[in-house]
Amino acid sequence: MNRSTSFFFIALLTSFFCWGQTYQITGKVVDEDNNSIAFANVLLLKAADSTFISGTSTDDTGQFILKKIEPDLYLLQASYIGIGSIPRALDIKNDISLGALVIPSSTNLDEVVVTAKRPTVQRLADRLVFNVENSIVSQGSTWDVLRSTPGVIINQEELQIRGQQATVYLNDRKVQLSSQEVRDLLQGFSGININSVEVITNPPARYDAEDGPILNIVTSKAIVPGYKGSVNGSITQAVFPKYSFGTSHYYKTEKLNVFANYSINPKKEIRRTTKGINFINDGGNVFSIWDTEYEQIDTSIPQNASVILDYDLDARNSVNLTSNVAFNLNQTRENQLDNDIFNAQNQIDSTFTTLSNTDLDNTNVAVDLTYVHNLKKEGAKLSFNGHYTYYDGKSFQNLNSTYFDGNGDFLRDFGFNSDAQQDIQIITGQADYSSPLGQGSIEAGIKISTINSDSQLIFSDFVGSSDTVDASQSDIFVYDESVYAAYFSWVKNWEKWSMKLGIRGELTDAAGTSLTLSETNTQDFFEPFPSVYILYSPSEKHSFSFDYGRSVARPKYNDLNPFRFFFNENDFEEGNPGLFPSFSNNFNLNYTLNGEFFFDVYYRDNGENIAKLVFQDNTNLTLRELKQNVTASKSYGIDFTVSKGILPFWFLYAYTSVFHEEETFLAVESGNQEFTAEVDGVYGYLANYLTLSKDGTFTGEITMTYLSRFLFGSYISDDQLNLTLGLRKSLFNNRASISVAAEDLLEQYIPTYRSQYLNQDNFYRRRPEAQFIRFGFTYNFGNFRLEDNQRSIDKNERDRLENE
């Protein structure tokens, strides 16, 4: 397809619009003497489970209006200074003008705090929602929250869902950074500010085609006037103690809503790694055995500041500004490596030690601006978004190795310095238009995104000589990427059926240039990405759904860099400028029973997936890790989920997945033979959420995660098991809370990864500080009892609706 045709396709898609039939609720809030109450809190909650739908505050005359409410059963309640009106049940089928909501008078203005009864985990039709606000896991960082999210696997510091790398979103805005950069960002953002995490395994057309599964982090947000704030901190005891401190502030007027957060997390972490390589000769026999012990100590003080600002210009126009600044300056990384080399008779042949000290600085600044205009047509709106990210990373490594013979006598020295720097700028612009259409809705939008990355690596100050490291490997790598996208989707609901059809088109124009290699890798293509979602509900207890989506995995700029990072001169990682995009097709078939039991069968054809592969060179005695396109990749499985209240004080969430994974790749150190790595595995997650006191202020959590063998590039891991316990207690009428959590109590959460095929035989086992105890605290000040955007009405009020 030529470019003119591509732009015509994009322009055609932008002519469509979206949203469903909605209504509005108007009313007034008064006291018992019929006096108007200004700035009262008005909440609209779903009747079935009391999840938050909408909220507002009354004006100076006590009047309020709630717009764009979809047809359903709801509860409506007003409150002021902690005193609430009787919840009113509403069946929304058209616009409603209520009489007055009456808030009774009280001589005691202390708020009657309503304890939320919602489940900690919810499974919706198209996603899983992990509600963490006020839970024990929120006492850690946002990274800790994601580690505890059901179905999410942390593999080599990478967030994965069903074996695929997950894309992180913050308030439905993409965080466009690498895995390590995302971790640095999220570790500096306190989990106390997180409302929920949404796990979207097969995203619809409005999301970028390369996103794959999505983890959307939803932050807390005040909806009523006033100021409130909090301070929080934690102490984590692992091998080394770690500390965190954060403060959050919410301020809201009639038009302005502001959230500000700052956190600092001084920490010292140790990671021990055991690595083994059996080098094999042409006869298939082991002739050299390498046993390596790594000890890595990282010291850092990451800091993070965030501001989220919402401002209503008038009844139809609003703007949102979200900004984040993350600093992780003056980091240090100390690596000590001890290597023993044995001959075929398992006799010591030689040894060497490597000391590597690295200094790192990372700065990440992101700004996101959104403008929303609600059109005259009810439910129709137009929005514009602009985003800018600037990332600056520097590292300086000094590496020195000393070699000895089998008797311990000195043989030689080798060492060098490497100086690396990377500057990245990401700019995106997006426009979306939505409107009702008959009994359904349509939505469409366009997006332009650009990435500019400049990287350089300089080797210097060599001591001795090596066959694998030399000054000529210094390089400058420039990567520029532009993606032009448009999408359209149509939603239709009738009787027992619901259908959503979507199509997204993306035009990619990218080039990566290595000055040392005098080589340029280009990507210039247009591809369509269809998506289908069909839901059939024959009764309230049963529902069936099917969804399909096509996606793309583009090479990341870090993966295209041909730079080498050395653990020692015989063990290194390197980029691959020859990577190309891969396309996948994802199919899911779901069945839901009574809203509590979920069955999900999936199949995924990953195509020529980009995988992390490791190859040992049996001639030069090296181990090289790189990204490479495989020749074929697929996975399939069945998931079973239970989300159910067992007893009034006990909510259970259980998730089990039985799966098969396989990847076929070229074994470049084995004569470029094709080899298929495959594994059958089981993943299980069991969470028990307990209310341990009658007033709901004392809660507990017991979770267990099990993962059998799974595929990681050319490696296959063994099983791992994690048991976590936690307790949380609210104090001083919910003004403060304390918590304690212990992780990896059985010390079984550290797998071994082994790559064993043809003439390859190597393994490694990394031992981070997975076992720890964390003590956390939170103290609220200001008008801290202001409800947030996900608070619920007590279960007794929900029962009233069921009796009507």
Side-chain angles (χ1 to χ4, degrees):
M1 182 179 292
N2 59 41
R3 184 164 298 188
S4 61
T5 305
S6 303
F7 279 116
F8 174 78
F9 179 81
I10 292 174
L12 180 63
L13 291 182
T14 61
S15 63
F16 299 96
F17 317 96
C18 108
W19 208 255
Q21 183 68 40
T22 59
Y23 304 100
Q24 68 179 23
I25 305 171
T26 57
K28 186 176 183 180
V29 178
V30 299
D31 61 18
E32 291 178 331
D33 297 324
N34 204 33
N35 297 315
S36 300
I37 300 179
F39 303 113
N41 175 16
V42 181
L43 294 178
L44 183 70
L45 309 175
K46 182 173 288 188
D49 54 11
S50 289
T51 54
F52 173 83
I53 298 300
S54 184
T56 188
S57 57
T58 58
D59 60 19
D60 293 338
T61 64
Q63 302 285 338
F64 70 88
I65 181 171
L66 293 170
K67 296 182 177 181
K68 294 180 287 187
I69 307 302
E70 297 181 354
D72 208 337
L73 295 175
Y74 298 100
L75 290 174
L76 183 71
Q77 184 183 42
S79 65
Y80 185 71
I81 318 181
I83 308 300
S85 66
I86 296 176
R88 181 174 297 185
L90 300 176
D91 185 2
I92 302 298
K93 297 180 179 178
N94 45 43
D95 292 341
I96 292 181
S97 179
L98 296 172
L101 296 175
V102 180
I103 295 179
S105 304
S106 175
T107 57
N108 181 3
L109 297 183
D110 288 340
E111 180 172 7
V112 179
V113 178
V114 181
T115 303
K117 297 295 185 181
R118 62 179 181 182
T120 304
V121 180
Q122 293 175 290
R123 178 68 185 269
L124 306 180
D126 61 342
R127 67 194 62 192
L128 179 147
V129 181
F130 185 37
N131 297 302
V132 299
E133 190 174 35
N134 299 323
S135 70
I136 294 171
V137 296
S138 68
Q139 296 297 320
S141 68
T142 302
W143 180 261
D144 296 320
V145 171
L146 294 184
R147 291 175 66 246
S148 303
T149 300
V152 176
I153 300 172
I154 304 292
N155 183 28
Q156 304 299 297
E157 300 179 353
E158 181 180 279
L159 298 163
Q160 292 188 347
I161 298 172
R162 290 179 177 171
Q164 280 189 310
Q165 181 177 353
T167 300
V168 175
Y169 274 63
L170 184 62
N171 290 329
D172 223 26
R173 295 297 174 189
K174 186 178 180 180
V175 179
Q176 303 187 63
L177 296 172
S178 68
S179 298
Q180 181 58 52
E181 294 159 355
V182 166
R183 182 183 179 184
D184 292 339
L185 176 67
L186 298 181
Q187 283 185 330
F189 196 83
S190 175
I192 202 69
N193 303 311
I194 304 304
N195 188 300
S196 62
V197 177
E198 298 177 346
V199 182
I200 310 173
T201 58
N202 203 5
R206 70 185 183 91
Y207 291 96
D208 290 348
E210 69 172 336
D211 288 345
I214 287 175
L215 289 172
N216 183 36
I217 302 166
V218 182
T219 60
S220 299
K221 181 178 178 182
I223 62 170
V224 292
Y227 165 79
K228 67 174 181 177
S230 68
V231 293
N232 62 85
S234 67
I235 300 175
T236 302
Q237 182 60 58
V239 177
F240 298 113
K242 301 163 187 61
Y243 311 94
S244 71
F245 172 80
T247 179
S248 301
H249 304 271
Y250 300 84
Y251 178 71
K252 180 173 173 59
T253 64
E254 183 179 356
K255 292 187 175 183
L256 179 66
N257 194 331
V258 179
F259 163 75
N261 172 78
Y262 169 78
S263 64
I264 183 171
N265 302 277
K267 57 185 177 181
K268 185 176 183 181
E269 297 178 305
I270 187 171
R271 174 187 293 169
R272 296 185 175 94
T273 302
T274 300
K275 182 176 290 187
I277 312 172
N278 294 324
F279 289 105
I280 301 172
N281 59 27
D282 293 339
N285 300 314
V286 175
F287 69 91
S288 184
I289 303 169
W290 289 38
D291 288 338
T292 309
E293 294 289 338
Y294 292 86
E295 184 174 275
Q296 176 180 309
I297 298 177
D298 292 340
T299 304
S300 62
I301 309 177
Q303 302 178 67
N304 189 291
S306 302
V307 174
I308 301 175
L309 183 151
D310 295 290
Y311 186 75
D312 295 327
L313 300 172
D314 52 42
R316 291 186 178 177
N317 300 280
S318 63
V319 293
N320 169 269
L321 174 67
T322 300
S323 63
N324 179 270
V325 180
F327 294 99
N328 202 346
L329 307 178
N330 301 317
Q331 306 171 66
T332 62
R333 178 171 296 163
E334 301 175 1
N335 271 298
Q336 178 172 330
L337 179 153
D338 296 301
N339 193 92
D340 295 330
I341 302 174
F342 300 87
N343 59 26
Q345 290 73 41
N346 207 31
Q347 298 170 333
I348 190 72
D349 181 71
S350 61
T351 65
F352 67 86
T353 61
T354 299
L355 299 177
S356 172
N357 296 315
T358 306
D359 297 322
L360 306 99
D361 289 323
N362 295 323
T363 301
N364 175 23
V365 179
V367 180
D368 192 282
L369 181 64
T370 301
Y371 166 74
V372 178
H373 175 65
N374 294 307
L375 301 174
K376 292 183 179 180
K377 183 178 181 180
E378 184 66 29
K381 67 176 181 178
L382 179 66
S383 64
F384 300 92
N385 173 262
H387 175 87
Y388 175 74
T389 288
Y390 172 75
Y391 174 82
D392 177 63
K394 300 181 178 70
S395 67
F396 180 82
Q397 180 187 29
N398 172 256
L399 185 146
N400 290 281
S401 296
T402 304
Y403 292 80
F404 306 90
D405 63 19
N407 297 320
D409 296 328
F410 173 80
L411 292 175
R412 64 182 179 92
D413 283 332
F414 175 73
F416 62 88
N417 293 334
S418 65
D419 194 352
Q421 181 172 345
Q422 184 175 42
D423 293 319
I424 303 170
Q425 295 188 70
I426 302 173
I427 302 174
T428 68
Q430 182 169 343
D432 300 279
Y433 190 83
S434 59
S435 176
L437 181 66
Q439 297 301 312
S441 63
I442 56 174
E443 64 178 357
I446 58 174
K447 181 177 181 180
I448 301 175
S449 63
T450 64
I451 297 175
N452 304 109
S453 174
D454 294 329
S455 307
Q456 67 175 15
L457 178 66
I458 300 173
F459 289 94
S460 61
D461 299 328
F462 285 87
V463 175
S465 62
S466 171
D467 295 332
T468 57
V469 191
D470 59 65
S472 66
Q473 292 174 338
S474 299
D475 196 7
I476 296 177
F477 184 77
V478 179
Y479 180 74
D480 296 305
E481 176 185 280
S482 297
V483 178
Y484 308 90
Y487 74 91
F488 165 74
S489 65
W490 173 62
V491 178
K492 172 71 173 179
N493 300 298
W494 68 98
E495 296 181 353
K496 300 178 180 180
W497 292 85
S498 176
M499 180 172 64
K500 183 174 184 178
L501 304 179
I503 181 68
R504 185 180 184 91
E506 293 191 353
L507 173 67
T508 301
D509 184 7
T513 302
S514 167
L515 298 186
T516 295
L517 299 177
S518 298
E519 184 175 291
T520 299
N521 177 289
T522 61
Q523 304 175 50
D524 188 359
F525 62 91
F526 176 83
E527 290 285 340
F529 300 96
S531 61
V532 178
Y533 178 79
I534 300 173
L535 174 67
Y536 172 62
S537 301
S539 67
E540 293 184 358
K541 291 187 176 182
H542 304 278
S543 68
F544 302 85
S545 66
F546 167 79
D547 59 270
Y548 160 76
R550 184 173 188 256
S551 61
V552 61
R554 297 183 182 90
K556 305 299 183 183
Y557 36 86
N558 283 338
D559 299 334
L560 291 166
N561 284 1
F563 299 168
R564 285 183 175 181
F565 176 82
F566 289 87
F567 301 103
N568 62 71
E569 54 268 35
N570 296 88
D571 187 355
F572 52 87
E573 300 175 351
E574 69 177 14
N576 181 4
L579 294 173
F580 53 85
S582 65
F583 301 90
S584 64
N585 293 278
N586 309 295
F587 303 84
N588 291 278
L589 182 63
N590 307 279
Y591 167 66
T592 300
L593 174 62
N594 204 32
E596 297 177 335
F597 303 95
F598 307 85
F599 300 85
D600 187 355
V601 179
Y602 69 92
Y603 175 84
R604 190 174 67 239
D605 179 1
N606 299 310
E608 297 175 300
N609 183 46
I610 300 173
K612 181 181 290 186
L613 305 177
V614 177
F615 300 107
Q616 65 187 59
D617 184 340
N618 292 306
T619 301
N620 297 313
L621 303 181
T622 61
L623 190 68
R624 177 174 52 136
E625 179 181 301
L626 78 161
K627 291 290 185 70
Q628 179 175 298
N629 287 94
V630 302
T631 58
S633 174
K634 66 179 179 181
S635 59
Y636 50 85
I638 180 170
D639 299 346
F640 172 65
T641 304
V642 178
S643 178
K644 183 178 179 60
I646 306 301
L647 294 171
F649 63 88
W650 178 16
F651 180 78
L652 173 70
Y653 179 86
Y655 169 60
T656 302
S657 178
V658 180
F659 58 87
H660 173 85
E661 297 178 330
E662 64 178 71
E663 287 189 331
T664 302
F665 57 88
L666 294 179
V668 297
E669 294 293 347
S670 309
N672 278 326
Q673 298 182 59
E674 273 198 345
F675 178 79
T676 299
E678 56 184 321
V679 66
D680 296 308
V682 176
Y683 172 79
Y685 180 87
L686 177 65
N688 299 272
Y689 301 97
L690 307 172
T691 302
L692 303 176
S693 63
K694 292 184 178 180
D695 60 1
T697 61
F698 186 35
T699 59
E701 300 177 17
I702 305 173
T703 63
M704 179 175 288
T705 305
Y706 172 76
L707 179 60
S708 70
R709 303 191 313 156
F710 72 97
L711 196 61
F712 180 52
S714 55
Y715 285 110
I716 295 178
S717 79
D718 59 9
D719 58 356
Q720 50 190 296
L721 178 68
N722 184 20
L723 176 63
T724 301
L725 301 179
L727 297 171
R728 184 178 186 272
K729 173 64 177 177
S730 297
L731 304 170
F732 314 127
N733 196 21
N734 283 348
R735 182 173 290 275
S737 66
I738 57 175
S739 67
V740 58
E743 187 158 328
D744 193 19
L745 294 176
L746 304 178
E747 203 172 3
Q748 299 291 322
Y749 200 41
I750 305 170
T752 297
Y753 298 83
R754 180 171 291 277
S755 181
Q756 191 174 34
Y757 64 92
L758 302 176
N759 64 346
Q760 304 285 295
D761 188 2
N762 58 83
F763 77 92
Y764 72 91
R765 185 172 189 261
R766 289 180 179 170
R767 290 166 288 170
E769 294 180 287
Q771 190 174 52
F772 60 80
I773 297 177
R774 173 180 291 122
F775 299 91
F777 78 92
T778 300
Y779 181 79
N780 302 295
F781 51 86
N783 194 0
F784 71 93
R785 294 188 178 95
L786 293 178
E787 301 283 0
D788 283 341
N789 63 346
Q790 292 289 326
R791 294 298 297 271
S792 303
I793 297 176
D794 189 272
K795 184 177 183 299
N796 291 333
E797 307 302 343
R798 299 201 302 270
D799 292 341
R800 294 183 187 179
L801 178 65
E802 296 175 359
N803 294 330
E804 294 185 10

